[in-house]
Amino acid sequence: LIAAASIGQVYKGYLKSGEAVAIKVQRPECEKIIALDIYILRQLSGTLSQMISLLRRDIDLRSVVEEFGKLIYEEIDYLQEARNAERFAELYGGDPNVYVPRIYWRFSRRKLLVMEWVEGQRLTSPTIPMEQKTGLVRSMVQCSLQQMLDKGFFHADPHGGNLLCTPDGRLCYLDFGMMSQVEQFQRYGILEAVIHMVNRDWTQ
């Protein structure tokens, strides 16, 4: 066992060809537990929305729960995660400072994901030289800006456990279960806001 989370566990394995792979296995009854949780949240959201409206606050909790449920169900579909990984690689894998593991479709299923094993260190590792850490942060910022402002398809969970420094110094992204999309009009809005901030155009 290499890593464990609420939805699944990750193991290291080897194919008959000798290639090392990461094997992500979904926990039993996971989908049933999530369905019950979402159902309870839906029921509570109606009552809470009424209470919030009494405070003159216009918050649609039911829509929040619906969006949350949509994201969670996408995250537990490992074939969707595999598609996300391949799309991420197509859009950003051309960056020489970024690495995306390869998916082994032949062995992957809805509750089982097999992908390339990547050797590397967590970005918080004390053995990574400070100069190299600075370069990794720069790569992450540049890639994040490209995701948010150029292509629009972005990794929505880039915490320390989902990022590695490869032996050759590249930034490796892991776990593509939670992704999202920034539409073009939203990207323009973000750019306009940044430009106004830089120019100190507060009234705009």
Side-chain angles (χ1 to χ4, degrees), residues 123-194:
L123 302 193
T124 53
S125 172
T127 61
I128 301 176
M130 186 55 65
E131 184 179 343
Q132 191 174 29
K133 283 187 178 181
T134 302
L136 289 165
V137 170
R138 187 180 297 111
S139 296
M140 183 168 63
V141 170
Q142 290 174 345
C143 187
S144 296
L145 288 173
Q146 189 180 13
Q147 292 173 52
M148 296 294 292
L149 302 179
D150 183 16
K151 306 298 184 183
F153 183 67
F154 69 95
H155 195 299
D157 195 23
H159 60 75
N162 289 339
L163 298 166
L164 287 179
C165 172
T166 64
D168 60 359
R170 285 184 288 178
L171 178 68
C172 177
Y173 282 83
L174 303 172
D175 194 347
F176 300 90
M178 194 170 289
M179 312 293 287
S180 194
Q181 182 78 34
V182 181
E183 300 300 333
Q184 190 173 53
F185 76 92
Q186 294 171 318
R187 301 202 294 274
Y188 286 148
I190 295 171
L191 284 169
E192 285 178 356
V194 171

Side-chain angles (χ1 to χ4, degrees), residues 28-108:
E29 305 296 320
C30 181
E31 191 168 352
K32 188 183 295 185
I33 294 169
I34 289 173
L36 178 59
D37 288 345
I38 297 297
Y39 173 79
I40 293 170
L41 287 172
R42 278 202 191 107
Q43 301 307 308
L44 289 174
S45 66
T47 304
L48 290 173
S49 291
Q50 291 175 0
M51 294 171 63
I52 290 172
S53 66
L54 295 175
L55 300 173
R56 296 181 179 179
R57 295 289 186 272
D58 186 18
I59 302 174
D60 188 356
L61 288 180
R62 190 173 291 274
S63 294
V64 173
V65 171
E66 292 294 336
E67 184 63 22
F68 173 73
K70 176 176 173 289
L71 288 173
I72 287 294
Y73 270 98
E74 286 179 359
E75 189 170 4
I76 63 174
D77 182 353
Y78 288 172
L79 289 179
Q80 179 60 47
E81 179 173 348
R83 288 189 286 271
N84 289 341
E86 288 209 331
R87 185 180 176 194
F88 193 88
E90 288 172 7
L91 293 174
Y92 313 112
D95 185 332
N97 298 312
V98 171
Y99 190 77
V100 182
R102 181 161 58 99
I103 300 296
Y104 288 88
W105 284 99
R106 178 183 172 189
F107 307 109
S108 296

